[in-house]
Amino acid sequence: MSRITVDTARLPVLLNELRLPTFGRLWSGFAETADTESWPAARFLATLAEHELAERQQRRIARHAQAAHLPPGKTFDSFDFAAVPMVSKARFLALAEGDSWLEAGRNILLFGPPGTGKSHLAAALGYALVDNGFRVLFARTTDLVQRLQAARQDLALASAIEKLDKYHLLILDDLSYVQKSQSETSVLFELIAARYEQRSLLITANQPFGAWDSIFPDKAMTVAAIDRLVHHAVIMEMNVESYRRRTAIERTRTTTT
Ligand code: ADP
Ligand code: MG
């Protein structure tokens, strides 16, 4: 200990080596305050440590927000809950807290015709969960199925599915656009089976379960997939008129009258 020479001029280098960028940026300002206000050394150190930790968390959330591939602007703030009376805002704000349902690997299924806000609502929940420290991935189901199919061809399906484990919530948007073809859709089934009771899925679909025979290769697999998805699921039917169409009609009305 005594053989260490203290050279404050080396502080920027030391803090950089230690990967403490916030210390590096803030220490001199706080040092001045500490000197003029006679802070105890512990307070000075704790203040910097708190700032470093807070910024580290912010940086992590920013990284996760980037990696989530959420569609821009589709947040709760821009979502009009009044347009979908069967969907409770309070319910969604509770779901945005994450914890219990994500820990239990429960699912959310959003059904409804095109344009009713399923993708928007799914993304809004995704943004809120990322803000609350969870990891989310938003994917068009057809894209993800293609990626998994490529992984299967490289004999790497298991590890590709395992890599998705890091996401507390995987949003599979537009599941019903997936078209059956044995190799394609059994990867979807394997994904669903792997996450069952472990990691949550949020699925949006235009078609109710009755039409899912066109997604999975055979009836038995359709039944098995639905069974796993609904076992611990919140299911919401958004049977309203298309928001897109409705706002288009309102626009015409206001421009013609
Ligand atoms: P879906 O996924 O059900 O086909 P989208 O979520 O893509 O529908 O919604 C279609 C468009 O209408 C998007 O631009 C979306 O932001 C908007 N939209 C839909 N529902 C609402 C709503 N309740 N409040 C605000 N915007 C909405
Ligand atoms: Mg959609």
Side-chain angles (χ1 to χ4, degrees), residues 36-156:
T36 52
E37 294 178 12
S38 315
W39 283 9
R43 176 170 175 193
F44 172 64
L45 191 58
T47 304
L48 284 170
E50 292 287 3
H51 276 85
E52 185 72 51
L53 193 64
E55 288 200 10
R56 195 170 284 184
Q57 273 158 359
Q58 273 170 21
R59 282 193 298 272
R60 189 187 311 122
I61 286 174
R63 267 199 318 279
H64 292 173
Q66 278 282 319
H69 295 292
L70 291 158
K74 305 300 179 190
T75 61
F76 282 138
D77 283 345
S78 59
F79 191 79
D80 174 16
F81 278 90
V84 271
M86 64 286 279
V87 167
S88 142
K89 181 174 187 180
R91 181 88 183 273
F92 264 87
L93 295 183
L95 288 169
E97 295 300 317
D99 336 335
S100 61
W101 71 280
L102 291 175
E103 264 159 38
R106 291 175 196 275
N107 301 323
I108 298 179
L109 309 178
L110 297 181
F111 291 107
T116 51
K118 302 181 298 297
S119 300
H120 189 145
L121 200 52
L125 182 59
Y127 276 110
L129 287 171
V130 168
D131 277 346
N132 287 331
F134 295 98
R135 301 206 60 183
V136 173
L137 180 67
F138 184 104
R140 276 165 54 189
T141 315
T142 46
D143 292 348
L144 189 69
V145 162
Q146 255 174 33
R147 262 165 53 199
L148 292 178
Q149 201 185 0
R152 157 166 283 171
Q153 272 151 19
D154 298 339
L155 305 176

